Amino acid sequence: MSRVAYVNGLYVPHADAAVHVEDRGYQFADGVYEVCEVRGGRMVDERRHMERLQRSLRELRIAMPMPPAALGVVLRETIRRNRVREGIVYLQVTRGVARRDHYFPSPDTLPSIVVTARATDQAKAAASVASGAAIITVPDNRWDRVDIKTVGLLPNVLAKQAAKEAGAREAWFVRDGVVTEGGSTNAWIVTQAGAIVTRPAESGILRGITRTVLFEVANRLGLTVEERGFTLDEALAAREAFISSASNVVVPIVSIDGKTIGDGKPGPVARSLRDSFYDVAEFARK
């Protein structure tokens, strides 16, 4: 079955989907995006993703391309047309098409919107959870507004590629000895005392939707969560470490920069958070 994409009001064959060469997302990374997990044909945490999308757009002074309810219809229709049962749906909104100029274009310039959906390999995802994953660390050289989910991801791309070349799953950014977040994930550790630690999301990291839900999951399980920065040394001495994202939920980390974490196996806290995640996450209607 051929894939389908939504581009500026039209559902088109994925192979033919295109935006204008002067779209500001292409020329300036002047846009934002969201990625929602699809489970059983339904979006996970649609409401939270829509709220974060609107915040990102406000921070960049880009207008919503359509009301959230209408956008939800587009997302669901894209999922349906691609027959995705287990996978992801990707949404991107840019400031639109205009003559290349650093200044904002005319206020009547319409935002551009692209939506795609695809299935993911659930067996592969399950295997990574069963065996755990390795990560490396890299210097955090990104701009300060990483709390906005923009399409300007070149430092993240370079970090992820470095991880791939090192045989690792992810790269953690480190600034002044403190872990900030992963190339496309939030970073967590479990201390020897059993506390779950992750960096505060007021600034310096993206407020991950999965991260937000995991706070509720941890509370339901009676686990202690500390929102504070943690050093790379703390991570290396931790009982467990794991990463979270919409596309992978929770993935246990068993080594950092080649050094074994805990007993070198996925830990019980990470596994229990993953197992209980969908008891708390919100499922959108089909």
Side-chain angles (χ1 to χ4, degrees), residues 38-69:
V38 178
R39 186 176 176 87
R42 296 189 293 168
M43 279 183 290
V44 179
D45 289 313
E46 176 187 359
R47 175 184 60 84
R48 293 182 174 101
H49 282 282
M50 286 294 175
E51 290 174 352
R52 186 173 65 180
L53 172 71
Q54 291 176 81
R55 177 189 181 275
S56 293
L57 290 171
R58 285 195 303 271
E59 291 296 310
L60 297 185
R61 295 160 60 187
I62 298 174
M64 271 288 283
M66 63 182 74

Side-chain angles (χ1 to χ4, degrees), residues 9 13 21 24 30-31 41 60 62 83 113 125 137 140-141 144 166 172 184 193 203 223 225 244 260 267:
V21 293
R24 289 178 63 91
D30 190 0
L60 297 185
I62 298 174
R83 301 181 185 178
I113 175 172
T137 60
D140 195 341
N141 58 354
D144 289 337
W172 274 1
S184 60
S203 63
L223 302 171
V225 179
S244 65
T260 300

Side-chain angles (χ1 to χ4, degrees), residues 6-282:
Y6 176 89
V7 182
N8 294 328
L10 298 174
Y11 294 96
V12 298
H14 188 273
D16 299 330
V19 295
H20 195 279
V21 293
E22 288 195 312
D23 187 282
R24 289 178 63 91
Y26 171 66
Q27 296 196 328
F28 292 107
D30 190 0
V32 303
Y33 74 102
E34 285 290 332
V35 179
C36 288
E37 182 187 10
V38 178
R39 186 176 176 87
R42 296 189 293 168
M43 279 183 290
V44 179
D45 289 313
E46 176 187 359
R47 175 184 60 84
R48 293 182 174 101
H49 282 282
M50 286 294 175
E51 290 174 352
R52 186 173 65 180
L53 172 71
Q54 291 176 81
R55 177 189 181 275
S56 293
L57 290 171
R58 285 195 303 271
E59 291 296 310
L60 297 185
R61 295 160 60 187
I62 298 174
M64 271 288 283
M66 63 182 74
L71 189 51
V73 171
V74 170
L75 292 168
R76 285 186 286 276
E77 180 63 12
T78 304
I79 293 168
R80 187 191 70 79
R81 292 191 182 216
N82 286 280
R83 301 181 185 178
V84 174
R85 293 286 300 168
E86 313 293 328
I88 60 171
V89 59
Y90 175 87
L91 162 67
Q92 179 172 299
V93 181
T94 75
R95 203 178 301 276
V97 176
R99 184 188 68 183
R100 191 183 189 282
D101 194 325
H102 285 72
Y103 300 112
F104 287 178
S106 169
D108 61 1
T109 301
L110 296 177
S112 295
I113 175 172
V114 170
V115 181
T116 59
R118 63 176 174 84
T120 54
D121 188 337
Q122 295 301 300
K124 181 179 180 181
S128 68
V129 173
S131 60
I135 62 172
I136 63 168
T137 60
V138 295
D140 195 341
N141 58 354
R142 302 168 299 163
W143 75 318
D144 289 337
R145 293 308 310 275
V146 293
D147 57 298
I148 306 172
K149 198 169 179 68
T150 75
V151 297
L153 295 172
L154 186 56
N156 305 64
V157 168
L158 295 174
K160 298 286 282 191
Q161 181 62 26
K164 181 179 180 180
E165 291 172 358
R169 172 68 174 268
E170 175 63 295
W172 274 1
F173 289 112
V174 177
R175 179 173 294 173
D176 298 326
V178 176
V179 175
T180 51
E181 61 185 338
S184 60
T185 60
N186 284 127
W188 308 70
I189 61 170
V190 180
T191 68
Q192 292 297 330
I196 304 170
V197 182
T198 192
R199 183 186 172 102
E202 281 72 20
S203 63
I205 70 167
L206 180 71
R207 188 181 294 275
I209 301 302
T210 302
R211 173 189 181 277
T212 299
V213 176
L214 285 174
F215 277 84
E216 298 182 33
V217 177
N219 182 64
R220 177 175 292 196
L221 295 174
L223 302 171
T224 300
V225 179
E226 299 176 4
E227 276 193 281
R228 63 171 177 82
F230 61 86
T231 66
L232 179 56
D233 287 341
E234 283 185 274
L236 292 171
R239 182 197 296 178
E240 296 181 40
F242 60 93
I243 54 177
S244 65
S245 68
S247 56
N248 294 289
V249 188
V250 170
V251 176
I253 298 304
V254 296
S255 73
I256 300 174
D257 290 334
K259 300 177 178 66
T260 300
I261 303 302
D263 62 2
K265 300 176 181 178
V269 172
R271 292 199 306 269
S272 63
L273 289 171
R274 181 183 175 88
D275 290 344
S276 300
F277 181 81
Y278 296 107
D279 296 334
V280 175
E282 298 175 357

